[in-house]
Amino acid sequence: MSQIPAMSLGLSQEKEKESNIMTKLLGVIAIAAVAFAVAPAQAAKHAMGCSSANLEKTETAIENMADGDGKMVAQKEIASAQDAMLNGKMGACGAHLNKAMHATMGK
């Protein structure tokens, strides 16, 4: 059975396109996986360090805030930071601590 050369060329190009799409898709997935793996580490590096001294400093700032939505947000974030610290999740602790400190500044 003979094939028409133009058809086999078209099928070859179609398979090549599918291969290129799959290669690109796998590349995007790999980049996303690396980004998700690195993001918490970067957040911990740039966020306020998770330490008892920083927790205490932030708690004092929250206590001195006027009652309101900002204070409630800060209190929730400091509670989440403490919980994360107790569970050994230092990156999450630092991120929550950073959010709590930003809430105390009215941001």
Side-chain angles (χ1 to χ4, degrees), residues 14-91:
E14 188 174 317
K15 285 183 181 180
E16 189 175 320
K17 278 184 183 180
E18 288 177 9
S19 177
N20 278 342
I21 290 170
M22 287 301 289
T23 302
K24 289 177 183 177
L25 183 60
L26 289 173
V28 168
I29 290 170
I31 290 169
V34 169
F36 282 118
V38 172
Q42 289 297 319
K45 183 177 178 183
H46 294 293
M48 177 182 269
C50 187
S51 68
S52 58
N54 286 337
L55 281 166
E56 187 176 325
K57 185 189 316 182
T58 306
E59 286 173 329
T60 301
I62 292 169
E63 287 173 9
N64 293 327
M65 289 177 72
D67 291 339
D69 291 339
K71 186 172 186 173
M72 287 183 4
V73 168
Q75 288 171 331
K76 287 179 183 178
E77 289 295 339
I78 200 75
S80 295
Q82 290 169 336
D83 184 54
M85 184 179 193
L86 291 172
N87 290 312
K89 298 177 181 176
M90 301 309 272

